[in-house]
PDB file of all heavy atoms in Angstrom:
ATOM      1  N   TRP Q   1       2.246   0.057  -2.151  1.00 94.00           N
ATOM      2  CA  TRP Q   1       2.641   0.487  -3.472  1.00 94.00           C
ATOM      3  C   TRP Q   1       2.646  -0.719  -4.441  1.00 94.00           C
ATOM      4  O   TRP Q   1       3.190  -1.754  -4.083  1.00 94.00           O
ATOM      5  CB  TRP Q   1       3.971   1.169  -3.485  1.00 94.00           C
ATOM      6  CG  TRP Q   1       4.035   2.411  -2.679  1.00 94.00           C
ATOM      7  CD1 TRP Q   1       4.331   2.581  -1.365  1.00 94.00           C
ATOM      8  CD2 TRP Q   1       3.666   3.700  -3.179  1.00 94.00           C
ATOM      9  NE1 TRP Q   1       4.214   3.835  -0.973  1.00 94.00           N
ATOM     10  CE2 TRP Q   1       3.860   4.604  -2.066  1.00 94.00           C
ATOM     11  CE3 TRP Q   1       3.353   4.260  -4.401  1.00 94.00           C
ATOM     12  CZ2 TRP Q   1       3.616   5.979  -2.178  1.00 94.00           C
ATOM     13  CZ3 TRP Q   1       3.149   5.655  -4.538  1.00 94.00           C
ATOM     14  CH2 TRP Q   1       3.311   6.462  -3.371  1.00 94.00           C
ATOM     15  N   SER Q   2       2.013  -0.498  -5.621  1.00 95.00           N
ATOM     16  CA  SER Q   2       2.019  -1.659  -6.527  1.00 95.00           C
ATOM     17  C   SER Q   2       2.554  -1.120  -7.867  1.00 95.00           C
ATOM     18  O   SER Q   2       2.240   0.055  -8.347  1.00 95.00           O
ATOM     19  CB  SER Q   2       0.635  -2.169  -6.792  1.00 95.00           C
ATOM     20  OG  SER Q   2      -0.251  -1.126  -7.189  1.00 95.00           O
ATOM     21  N   THR Q   3       3.392  -1.920  -8.488  1.00 96.00           N
ATOM     22  CA  THR Q   3       4.010  -1.543  -9.835  1.00 96.00           C
ATOM     23  C   THR Q   3       3.002  -1.656 -10.921  1.00 96.00           C
ATOM     24  O   THR Q   3       2.399  -2.733 -11.043  1.00 96.00           O
ATOM     25  CB  THR Q   3       5.261  -2.383 -10.046  1.00 96.00           C
ATOM     26  OG1 THR Q   3       6.193  -2.181  -9.028  1.00 96.00           O
ATOM     27  CG2 THR Q   3       5.904  -2.055 -11.359  1.00 96.00           C
ATOM     28  N   PHE Q   4       2.821  -0.585 -11.677  1.00 97.00           N
ATOM     29  CA  PHE Q   4       1.925  -0.745 -12.832  1.00 97.00           C
ATOM     30  C   PHE Q   4       2.676  -0.647 -14.204  1.00 97.00           C
ATOM     31  O   PHE Q   4       2.087  -0.893 -15.238  1.00 97.00           O
ATOM     32  CB  PHE Q   4       0.805   0.333 -12.786  1.00 97.00           C
ATOM     33  CG  PHE Q   4       1.272   1.756 -12.866  1.00 97.00           C
ATOM     34  CD1 PHE Q   4       1.336   2.382 -14.084  1.00 97.00           C
ATOM     35  CD2 PHE Q   4       1.575   2.479 -11.703  1.00 97.00           C
ATOM     36  CE1 PHE Q   4       1.755   3.737 -14.170  1.00 97.00           C
ATOM     37  CE2 PHE Q   4       1.912   3.863 -11.802  1.00 97.00           C
ATOM     38  CZ  PHE Q   4       2.039   4.435 -13.020  1.00 97.00           C
ATOM     39  N   ALA Q   5       3.981  -0.352 -14.188  1.00 97.00           N
ATOM     40  CA  ALA Q   5       4.763  -0.406 -15.388  1.00 97.00           C
ATOM     41  C   ALA Q   5       6.212  -0.381 -15.071  1.00 97.00           C
ATOM     42  O   ALA Q   5       6.643   0.128 -14.041  1.00 97.00           O
ATOM     43  CB  ALA Q   5       4.426   0.870 -16.288  1.00 97.00           C
ATOM     44  N   THR Q   6       7.024  -0.921 -16.023  1.00 97.00           N
ATOM     45  CA  THR Q   6       8.468  -0.893 -15.980  1.00 97.00           C
ATOM     46  C   THR Q   6       8.895  -0.225 -17.257  1.00 97.00           C
ATOM     47  O   THR Q   6       8.550  -0.643 -18.367  1.00 97.00           O
ATOM     48  CB  THR Q   6       9.057  -2.293 -15.850  1.00 97.00           C
ATOM     49  OG1 THR Q   6       8.575  -2.875 -14.604  1.00 97.00           O
ATOM     50  CG2 THR Q   6      10.561  -2.214 -15.769  1.00 97.00           C
ATOM     51  N   GLN Q   7       9.693   0.845 -17.142  1.00 96.00           N
ATOM     52  CA  GLN Q   7      10.052   1.651 -18.319  1.00 96.00           C
ATOM     53  C   GLN Q   7      11.566   1.889 -18.336  1.00 96.00           C
ATOM     54  O   GLN Q   7      12.196   2.066 -17.342  1.00 96.00           O
ATOM     55  CB  GLN Q   7       9.433   3.099 -18.138  1.00 96.00           C
ATOM     56  CG  GLN Q   7       7.965   3.151 -18.186  1.00 96.00           C
ATOM     57  CD  GLN Q   7       7.469   3.144 -19.599  1.00 96.00           C
ATOM     58  OE1 GLN Q   7       6.514   2.438 -19.918  1.00 96.00           O
ATOM     59  NE2 GLN Q   7       8.087   3.853 -20.517  1.00 96.00           N
ATOM     60  N   PRO Q   8      12.115   1.884 -19.602  1.00 97.00           N
ATOM     61  CA  PRO Q   8      13.481   2.438 -19.733  1.00 97.00           C
ATOM     62  C   PRO Q   8      13.480   3.876 -19.494  1.00 97.00           C
ATOM     63  O   PRO Q   8      12.506   4.617 -19.793  1.00 97.00           O
ATOM     64  CB  PRO Q   8      13.841   2.075 -21.186  1.00 97.00           C
ATOM     65  CG  PRO Q   8      12.557   1.670 -21.845  1.00 97.00           C
ATOM     66  CD  PRO Q   8      11.546   1.450 -20.853  1.00 97.00           C
ATOM     67  N   ALA Q   9      14.563   4.451 -18.845  1.00 97.00           N
ATOM     68  CA  ALA Q   9      14.587   5.870 -18.472  1.00 97.00           C
ATOM     69  C   ALA Q   9      15.951   6.448 -18.564  1.00 97.00           C
ATOM     70  O   ALA Q   9      16.979   5.758 -18.492  1.00 97.00           O
ATOM     71  CB  ALA Q   9      14.081   5.920 -17.023  1.00 97.00           C
ATOM     72  N   TYR Q  10      15.909   7.814 -18.679  1.00 96.00           N
ATOM     73  CA  TYR Q  10      17.119   8.608 -18.544  1.00 96.00           C
ATOM     74  C   TYR Q  10      17.000   9.133 -17.113  1.00 96.00           C
ATOM     75  O   TYR Q  10      15.971   9.730 -16.730  1.00 96.00           O
ATOM     76  CB  TYR Q  10      17.060   9.769 -19.556  1.00 96.00           C
ATOM     77  CG  TYR Q  10      18.118  10.848 -19.328  1.00 96.00           C
ATOM     78  CD1 TYR Q  10      19.440  10.604 -19.665  1.00 96.00           C
ATOM     79  CD2 TYR Q  10      17.693  12.093 -18.835  1.00 96.00           C
ATOM     80  CE1 TYR Q  10      20.378  11.571 -19.467  1.00 96.00           C
ATOM     81  CE2 TYR Q  10      18.643  13.067 -18.710  1.00 96.00           C
ATOM     82  CZ  TYR Q  10      19.982  12.829 -19.004  1.00 96.00           C
ATOM     83  OH  TYR Q  10      20.929  13.827 -18.836  1.00 96.00           O
ATOM     84  N   PHE Q  11      18.088   9.049 -16.349  1.00 94.00           N
ATOM     85  CA  PHE Q  11      18.043   9.412 -14.910  1.00 94.00           C
ATOM     86  C   PHE Q  11      19.254  10.220 -14.648  1.00 94.00           C
ATOM     87  O   PHE Q  11      20.436   9.781 -14.849  1.00 94.00           O
ATOM     88  CB  PHE Q  11      18.034   8.161 -14.090  1.00 94.00           C
ATOM     89  CG  PHE Q  11      17.398   8.309 -12.718  1.00 94.00           C
ATOM     90  CD1 PHE Q  11      16.049   8.313 -12.585  1.00 94.00           C
ATOM     91  CD2 PHE Q  11      18.154   8.490 -11.633  1.00 94.00           C
ATOM     92  CE1 PHE Q  11      15.438   8.453 -11.356  1.00 94.00           C
ATOM     93  CE2 PHE Q  11      17.637   8.743 -10.383  1.00 94.00           C
ATOM     94  CZ  PHE Q  11      16.256   8.686 -10.232  1.00 94.00           C
ATOM     95  N   LYS Q  12      19.075  11.433 -14.090  1.00 93.00           N
ATOM     96  CA  LYS Q  12      20.253  12.311 -13.767  1.00 93.00           C
ATOM     97  C   LYS Q  12      19.953  13.158 -12.554  1.00 93.00           C
ATOM     98  O   LYS Q  12      18.841  13.676 -12.333  1.00 93.00           O
ATOM     99  CB  LYS Q  12      20.476  13.286 -14.968  1.00 93.00           C
ATOM    100  CG  LYS Q  12      21.672  14.164 -14.827  1.00 93.00           C
ATOM    101  CD  LYS Q  12      21.885  15.018 -15.988  1.00 93.00           C
ATOM    102  CE  LYS Q  12      23.139  15.931 -15.763  1.00 93.00           C
ATOM    103  NZ  LYS Q  12      23.396  16.742 -16.886  1.00 93.00           N
ATOM    104  N   ALA Q  13      20.944  13.376 -11.744  1.00 91.00           N
ATOM    105  CA  ALA Q  13      20.893  14.185 -10.546  1.00 91.00           C
ATOM    106  C   ALA Q  13      20.808  15.614 -10.999  1.00 91.00           C
ATOM    107  O   ALA Q  13      21.505  16.114 -11.881  1.00 91.00           O
ATOM    108  CB  ALA Q  13      22.109  14.043  -9.638  1.00 91.00           C
ATOM    109  N   LEU Q  14      19.938  16.441 -10.261  1.00 90.00           N
ATOM    110  CA  LEU Q  14      19.784  17.870 -10.576  1.00 90.00           C
ATOM    111  C   LEU Q  14      20.350  18.670  -9.496  1.00 90.00           C
ATOM    112  O   LEU Q  14      21.228  19.522  -9.769  1.00 90.00           O
ATOM    113  CB  LEU Q  14      18.272  18.218 -10.706  1.00 90.00           C
ATOM    114  CG  LEU Q  14      17.541  17.712 -11.906  1.00 90.00           C
ATOM    115  CD1 LEU Q  14      16.059  18.161 -11.792  1.00 90.00           C
ATOM    116  CD2 LEU Q  14      18.204  18.256 -13.164  1.00 90.00           C
ATOM    117  N   SER Q  15      19.952  18.514  -8.269  1.00 73.00           N
ATOM    118  CA  SER Q  15      20.413  19.388  -7.172  1.00 73.00           C
ATOM    119  C   SER Q  15      20.230  18.603  -5.821  1.00 73.00           C
ATOM    120  O   SER Q  15      19.485  17.698  -5.791  1.00 73.00           O
ATOM    121  CB  SER Q  15      19.664  20.733  -7.110  1.00 73.00           C
ATOM    122  OG  SER Q  15      18.294  20.507  -6.768  1.00 73.00           O
ATOM    123  N   GLY Q  16      20.969  19.066  -4.926  1.00 62.00           N
ATOM    124  CA  GLY Q  16      20.849  18.497  -3.573  1.00 62.00           C
ATOM    125  C   GLY Q  16      20.933  19.543  -2.509  1.00 62.00           C
ATOM    126  O   GLY Q  16      21.353  20.716  -2.778  1.00 62.00           O
ATOM    127  N   GLY Q  17      20.512  19.253  -1.316  1.00 63.00           N
ATOM    128  CA  GLY Q  17      20.563  20.167  -0.247  1.00 63.00           C
ATOM    129  C   GLY Q  17      20.167  19.629   1.042  1.00 63.00           C
ATOM    130  O   GLY Q  17      20.025  18.372   1.155  1.00 63.00           O
ATOM    131  N   GLU Q  18      20.018  20.502   2.060  1.00 60.00           N
ATOM    132  CA  GLU Q  18      19.584  20.039   3.361  1.00 60.00           C
ATOM    133  C   GLU Q  18      18.459  20.928   3.815  1.00 60.00           C
ATOM    134  O   GLU Q  18      18.359  22.062   3.411  1.00 60.00           O
ATOM    135  CB  GLU Q  18      20.728  20.187   4.318  1.00 60.00           C
ATOM    136  CG  GLU Q  18      21.916  19.265   3.991  1.00 60.00           C
ATOM    137  CD  GLU Q  18      23.087  19.514   4.875  1.00 60.00           C
ATOM    138  OE1 GLU Q  18      23.270  20.624   5.360  1.00 60.00           O
ATOM    139  OE2 GLU Q  18      23.891  18.541   5.081  1.00 60.00           O
ATOM    140  N   ARG Q  19      17.618  20.401   4.739  1.00 61.00           N
ATOM    141  CA  ARG Q  19      16.525  21.213   5.281  1.00 61.00           C
ATOM    142  C   ARG Q  19      16.258  20.696   6.668  1.00 61.00           C
ATOM    143  O   ARG Q  19      16.613  19.564   7.054  1.00 61.00           O
ATOM    144  CB  ARG Q  19      15.268  21.068   4.409  1.00 61.00           C
ATOM    145  CG  ARG Q  19      14.741  19.646   4.307  1.00 61.00           C
ATOM    146  CD  ARG Q  19      13.591  19.518   3.394  1.00 61.00           C
ATOM    147  NE  ARG Q  19      13.234  18.115   3.295  1.00 61.00           N
ATOM    148  CZ  ARG Q  19      12.469  17.601   2.355  1.00 61.00           C
ATOM    149  NH1 ARG Q  19      11.967  18.406   1.472  1.00 61.00           N
ATOM    150  NH2 ARG Q  19      12.310  16.306   2.305  1.00 61.00           N
ATOM    151  N   TYR Q  20      15.625  21.546   7.463  1.00 59.00           N
ATOM    152  CA  TYR Q  20      15.251  21.173   8.807  1.00 59.00           C
ATOM    153  C   TYR Q  20      13.822  20.600   8.781  1.00 59.00           C
ATOM    154  O   TYR Q  20      12.909  21.218   8.227  1.00 59.00           O
ATOM    155  CB  TYR Q  20      15.312  22.390   9.732  1.00 59.00           C
ATOM    156  CG  TYR Q  20      16.699  22.692  10.206  1.00 59.00           C
ATOM    157  CD1 TYR Q  20      17.425  23.677   9.612  1.00 59.00           C
ATOM    158  CD2 TYR Q  20      17.290  21.932  11.255  1.00 59.00           C
ATOM    159  CE1 TYR Q  20      18.759  23.945   9.991  1.00 59.00           C
ATOM    160  CE2 TYR Q  20      18.535  22.187  11.617  1.00 59.00           C
ATOM    161  CZ  TYR Q  20      19.305  23.207  11.009  1.00 59.00           C
ATOM    162  OH  TYR Q  20      20.567  23.489  11.441  1.00 59.00           O
ATOM    163  N   VAL Q  21      13.699  19.401   9.286  1.00 61.00           N
ATOM    164  CA  VAL Q  21      12.425  18.824   9.409  1.00 61.00           C
ATOM    165  C   VAL Q  21      12.326  18.288  10.892  1.00 61.00           C
ATOM    166  O   VAL Q  21      13.100  17.475  11.310  1.00 61.00           O
ATOM    167  CB  VAL Q  21      12.260  17.588   8.468  1.00 61.00           C
ATOM    168  CG1 VAL Q  21      10.989  16.899   8.644  1.00 61.00           C
ATOM    169  CG2 VAL Q  21      12.472  18.042   6.994  1.00 61.00           C
ATOM    170  N   TYR Q  22      11.285  18.807  11.600  1.00 68.00           N
ATOM    171  CA  TYR Q  22      11.091  18.462  12.982  1.00 68.00           C
ATOM    172  C   TYR Q  22      12.374  18.587  13.799  1.00 68.00           C
ATOM    173  O   TYR Q  22      12.811  17.716  14.536  1.00 68.00           O
ATOM    174  CB  TYR Q  22      10.512  16.997  13.116  1.00 68.00           C
ATOM    175  CG  TYR Q  22       9.209  16.842  12.407  1.00 68.00           C
ATOM    176  CD1 TYR Q  22       9.053  16.007  11.291  1.00 68.00           C
ATOM    177  CD2 TYR Q  22       8.049  17.505  12.854  1.00 68.00           C
ATOM    178  CE1 TYR Q  22       7.863  15.843  10.625  1.00 68.00           C
ATOM    179  CE2 TYR Q  22       6.843  17.356  12.195  1.00 68.00           C
ATOM    180  CZ  TYR Q  22       6.744  16.517  11.134  1.00 68.00           C
ATOM    181  OH  TYR Q  22       5.564  16.387  10.504  1.00 68.00           O
ATOM    182  N   GLU Q  23      12.977  19.751  13.683  1.00 68.00           N
ATOM    183  CA  GLU Q  23      14.189  20.120  14.387  1.00 68.00           C
ATOM    184  C   GLU Q  23      15.347  19.159  14.136  1.00 68.00           C
ATOM    185  O   GLU Q  23      16.218  19.039  15.082  1.00 68.00           O
ATOM    186  CB  GLU Q  23      13.895  20.240  15.871  1.00 68.00           C
ATOM    187  CG  GLU Q  23      12.899  21.307  16.150  1.00 68.00           C
ATOM    188  CD  GLU Q  23      12.629  21.443  17.691  1.00 68.00           C
ATOM    189  OE1 GLU Q  23      13.479  21.034  18.497  1.00 68.00           O
ATOM    190  OE2 GLU Q  23      11.585  22.122  18.001  1.00 68.00           O
ATOM    191  N   ARG Q  24      15.466  18.614  12.976  1.00 68.00           N
ATOM    192  CA  ARG Q  24      16.662  17.799  12.660  1.00 68.00           C
ATOM    193  C   ARG Q  24      16.972  18.087  11.178  1.00 68.00           C
ATOM    194  O   ARG Q  24      16.152  18.468  10.351  1.00 68.00           O
ATOM    195  CB  ARG Q  24      16.452  16.320  12.884  1.00 68.00           C
ATOM    196  CG  ARG Q  24      15.401  15.798  11.973  1.00 68.00           C
ATOM    197  CD  ARG Q  24      15.263  14.297  12.234  1.00 68.00           C
ATOM    198  NE  ARG Q  24      14.208  13.856  11.321  1.00 68.00           N
ATOM    199  CZ  ARG Q  24      14.120  12.656  10.842  1.00 68.00           C
ATOM    200  NH1 ARG Q  24      14.907  11.737  11.077  1.00 68.00           N
ATOM    201  NH2 ARG Q  24      13.106  12.351   9.995  1.00 68.00           N
ATOM    202  N   LEU Q  25      18.203  17.950  10.875  1.00 63.00           N
ATOM    203  CA  LEU Q  25      18.718  18.264   9.526  1.00 63.00           C
ATOM    204  C   LEU Q  25      18.533  17.006   8.697  1.00 63.00           C
ATOM    205  O   LEU Q  25      18.865  15.879   9.067  1.00 63.00           O
ATOM    206  CB  LEU Q  25      20.242  18.578   9.610  1.00 63.00           C
ATOM    207  CG  LEU Q  25      20.846  19.268   8.438  1.00 63.00           C
ATOM    208  CD1 LEU Q  25      20.142  20.561   8.061  1.00 63.00           C
ATOM    209  CD2 LEU Q  25      22.299  19.546   8.626  1.00 63.00           C
ATOM    210  N   GLU Q  26      17.939  17.200   7.498  1.00 65.00           N
ATOM    211  CA  GLU Q  26      17.616  16.111   6.571  1.00 65.00           C
ATOM    212  C   GLU Q  26      18.150  16.426   5.188  1.00 65.00           C
ATOM    213  O   GLU Q  26      17.884  17.512   4.671  1.00 65.00           O
ATOM    214  CB  GLU Q  26      16.144  15.864   6.556  1.00 65.00           C
ATOM    215  CG  GLU Q  26      15.690  14.630   5.840  1.00 65.00           C
ATOM    216  CD  GLU Q  26      14.179  14.454   6.001  1.00 65.00           C
ATOM    217  OE1 GLU Q  26      13.759  13.866   6.951  1.00 65.00           O
ATOM    218  OE2 GLU Q  26      13.452  14.992   5.123  1.00 65.00           O
ATOM    219  N   ALA Q  27      18.878  15.518   4.576  1.00 65.00           N
ATOM    220  CA  ALA Q  27      19.340  15.741   3.207  1.00 65.00           C
ATOM    221  C   ALA Q  27      18.270  15.387   2.180  1.00 65.00           C
ATOM    222  O   ALA Q  27      17.465  14.498   2.421  1.00 65.00           O
ATOM    223  CB  ALA Q  27      20.582  14.872   2.918  1.00 65.00           C
ATOM    224  N   ASN Q  28      18.269  16.174   1.115  1.00 76.00           N
ATOM    225  CA  ASN Q  28      17.349  15.863   0.039  1.00 76.00           C
ATOM    226  C   ASN Q  28      17.990  16.049  -1.289  1.00 76.00           C
ATOM    227  O   ASN Q  28      18.925  16.884  -1.394  1.00 76.00           O
ATOM    228  CB  ASN Q  28      16.040  16.704   0.109  1.00 76.00           C
ATOM    229  CG  ASN Q  28      16.261  18.162  -0.037  1.00 76.00           C
ATOM    230  OD1 ASN Q  28      17.286  18.697   0.318  1.00 76.00           O
ATOM    231  ND2 ASN Q  28      15.338  18.806  -0.667  1.00 76.00           N
ATOM    232  N   GLN Q  29      17.563  15.364  -2.301  1.00 87.00           N
ATOM    233  CA  GLN Q  29      18.164  15.478  -3.632  1.00 87.00           C
ATOM    234  C   GLN Q  29      17.172  15.345  -4.665  1.00 87.00           C
ATOM    235  O   GLN Q  29      16.258  14.425  -4.596  1.00 87.00           O
ATOM    236  CB  GLN Q  29      19.305  14.419  -3.793  1.00 87.00           C
ATOM    237  CG  GLN Q  29      20.128  14.654  -5.071  1.00 87.00           C
ATOM    238  CD  GLN Q  29      21.379  13.852  -5.087  1.00 87.00           C
ATOM    239  OE1 GLN Q  29      21.657  13.093  -4.172  1.00 87.00           O
ATOM    240  NE2 GLN Q  29      22.180  14.068  -6.095  1.00 87.00           N
ATOM    241  N   LEU Q  30      17.211  16.170  -5.726  1.00 92.00           N
ATOM    242  CA  LEU Q  30      16.272  16.091  -6.799  1.00 92.00           C
ATOM    243  C   LEU Q  30      16.907  15.510  -7.989  1.00 92.00           C
ATOM    244  O   LEU Q  30      18.138  15.696  -8.248  1.00 92.00           O
ATOM    245  CB  LEU Q  30      15.763  17.543  -7.202  1.00 92.00           C
ATOM    246  CG  LEU Q  30      14.903  18.217  -6.149  1.00 92.00           C
ATOM    247  CD1 LEU Q  30      14.570  19.644  -6.677  1.00 92.00           C
ATOM    248  CD2 LEU Q  30      13.606  17.490  -5.931  1.00 92.00           C
ATOM    249  N   PHE Q  31      16.151  14.717  -8.803  1.00 95.00           N
ATOM    250  CA  PHE Q  31      16.641  14.051  -9.949  1.00 95.00           C
ATOM    251  C   PHE Q  31      15.638  14.341 -11.115  1.00 95.00           C
ATOM    252  O   PHE Q  31      14.475  14.536 -10.948  1.00 95.00           O
ATOM    253  CB  PHE Q  31      16.722  12.531  -9.795  1.00 95.00           C
ATOM    254  CG  PHE Q  31      17.729  12.143  -8.734  1.00 95.00           C
ATOM    255  CD1 PHE Q  31      17.372  12.131  -7.403  1.00 95.00           C
ATOM    256  CD2 PHE Q  31      18.993  11.729  -9.135  1.00 95.00           C
ATOM    257  CE1 PHE Q  31      18.338  11.782  -6.437  1.00 95.00           C
ATOM    258  CE2 PHE Q  31      19.928  11.359  -8.181  1.00 95.00           C
ATOM    259  CZ  PHE Q  31      19.653  11.338  -6.841  1.00 95.00           C
ATOM    260  N   ARG Q  32      16.173  14.295 -12.342  1.00 95.00           N
ATOM    261  CA  ARG Q  32      15.384  14.268 -13.579  1.00 95.00           C
ATOM    262  C   ARG Q  32      15.291  12.853 -14.110  1.00 95.00           C
ATOM    263  O   ARG Q  32      16.348  12.191 -14.297  1.00 95.00           O
ATOM    264  CB  ARG Q  32      16.001  15.185 -14.615  1.00 95.00           C
ATOM    265  CG  ARG Q  32      15.241  15.098 -15.967  1.00 95.00           C
ATOM    266  CD  ARG Q  32      15.937  15.967 -17.029  1.00 95.00           C
ATOM    267  NE  ARG Q  32      15.559  17.344 -16.698  1.00 95.00           N
ATOM    268  CZ  ARG Q  32      16.423  18.348 -16.623  1.00 95.00           C
ATOM    269  NH1 ARG Q  32      17.723  18.136 -16.850  1.00 95.00           N
ATOM    270  NH2 ARG Q  32      16.013  19.556 -16.328  1.00 95.00           N
ATOM    271  N   CYS Q  33      14.103  12.399 -14.285  1.00 96.00           N
ATOM    272  CA  CYS Q  33      13.847  11.094 -14.928  1.00 96.00           C
ATOM    273  C   CYS Q  33      13.000  11.315 -16.139  1.00 96.00           C
ATOM    274  O   CYS Q  33      11.955  11.910 -16.112  1.00 96.00           O
ATOM    275  CB  CYS Q  33      13.145  10.241 -13.938  1.00 96.00           C
ATOM    276  SG  CYS Q  33      12.696   8.646 -14.556  1.00 96.00           S
ATOM    277  N   VAL Q  34      13.525  10.863 -17.328  1.00 96.00           N
ATOM    278  CA  VAL Q  34      12.729  11.005 -18.580  1.00 96.00           C
ATOM    279  C   VAL Q  34      12.377   9.658 -19.095  1.00 96.00           C
ATOM    280  O   VAL Q  34      13.275   8.758 -19.211  1.00 96.00           O
ATOM    281  CB  VAL Q  34      13.518  11.801 -19.612  1.00 96.00           C
ATOM    282  CG1 VAL Q  34      12.737  11.957 -20.935  1.00 96.00           C
ATOM    283  CG2 VAL Q  34      13.923  13.208 -19.098  1.00 96.00           C
ATOM    284  N   ILE Q  35      11.111   9.481 -19.404  1.00 96.00           N
ATOM    285  CA  ILE Q  35      10.588   8.204 -19.936  1.00 96.00           C
ATOM    286  C   ILE Q  35       9.761   8.520 -21.181  1.00 96.00           C
ATOM    287  O   ILE Q  35       9.428   9.655 -21.471  1.00 96.00           O
ATOM    288  CB  ILE Q  35       9.723   7.378 -18.864  1.00 96.00           C
ATOM    289  CG1 ILE Q  35       8.489   8.215 -18.488  1.00 96.00           C
ATOM    290  CG2 ILE Q  35      10.575   7.050 -17.710  1.00 96.00           C
ATOM    291  CD1 ILE Q  35       7.588   7.478 -17.556  1.00 96.00           C
ATOM    292  N   ARG Q  36       9.424   7.503 -21.881  1.00 96.00           N
ATOM    293  CA  ARG Q  36       8.506   7.676 -23.026  1.00 96.00           C
ATOM    294  C   ARG Q  36       7.216   8.088 -22.491  1.00 96.00           C
ATOM    295  O   ARG Q  36       6.771   7.734 -21.378  1.00 96.00           O
ATOM    296  CB  ARG Q  36       8.403   6.400 -23.917  1.00 96.00           C
ATOM    297  CG  ARG Q  36       9.677   6.054 -24.609  1.00 96.00           C
ATOM    298  CD  ARG Q  36       9.393   5.022 -25.592  1.00 96.00           C
ATOM    299  NE  ARG Q  36      10.616   4.624 -26.218  1.00 96.00           N
ATOM    300  CZ  ARG Q  36      11.099   5.225 -27.353  1.00 96.00           C
ATOM    301  NH1 ARG Q  36      10.535   6.201 -27.826  1.00 96.00           N
ATOM    302  NH2 ARG Q  36      12.288   4.768 -27.827  1.00 96.00           N
ATOM    303  N   TYR Q  37       6.430   8.855 -23.275  1.00 96.00           N
ATOM    304  CA  TYR Q  37       5.209   9.450 -22.822  1.00 96.00           C
ATOM    305  C   TYR Q  37       4.156   8.363 -22.451  1.00 96.00           C
ATOM    306  O   TYR Q  37       4.069   7.394 -23.164  1.00 96.00           O
ATOM    307  CB  TYR Q  37       4.513  10.363 -23.923  1.00 96.00           C
ATOM    308  CG  TYR Q  37       3.210  10.969 -23.521  1.00 96.00           C
ATOM    309  CD1 TYR Q  37       3.156  11.985 -22.670  1.00 96.00           C
ATOM    310  CD2 TYR Q  37       2.108  10.364 -23.956  1.00 96.00           C
ATOM    311  CE1 TYR Q  37       1.940  12.551 -22.240  1.00 96.00           C
ATOM    312  CE2 TYR Q  37       0.854  10.851 -23.591  1.00 96.00           C
ATOM    313  CZ  TYR Q  37       0.755  11.983 -22.771  1.00 96.00           C
ATOM    314  OH  TYR Q  37      -0.416  12.461 -22.338  1.00 96.00           O
TER     315      TYR Q  37
END
């Protein structure tokens, strides 16, 4: 992975949960990130 830009942002948690992946429980969380266009 290579960085192509650094931006100021608004960052906020939206939701979280758990899911089964390969027979194990894994936590996941979604976030909203807003940057300039």
Side-chain angles (χ1 to χ4, degrees):
W1 295 90
S2 57
T3 299
F4 65 90
T6 302
Q7 293 278 135
Y10 169 75
F11 205 82
K12 182 178 182 182
L14 290 178
S15 64
E18 296 174 332
R19 62 182 173 198
Y20 280 100
V21 178
Y22 300 113
E23 298 184 18
R24 67 181 177 149
L25 195 59
E26 189 175 272
N28 66 326
Q29 189 164 6
L30 292 177
F31 294 84
R32 170 182 287 130
C33 177
V34 179
I35 60 174
R36 293 191 184 273
Y37 177 80

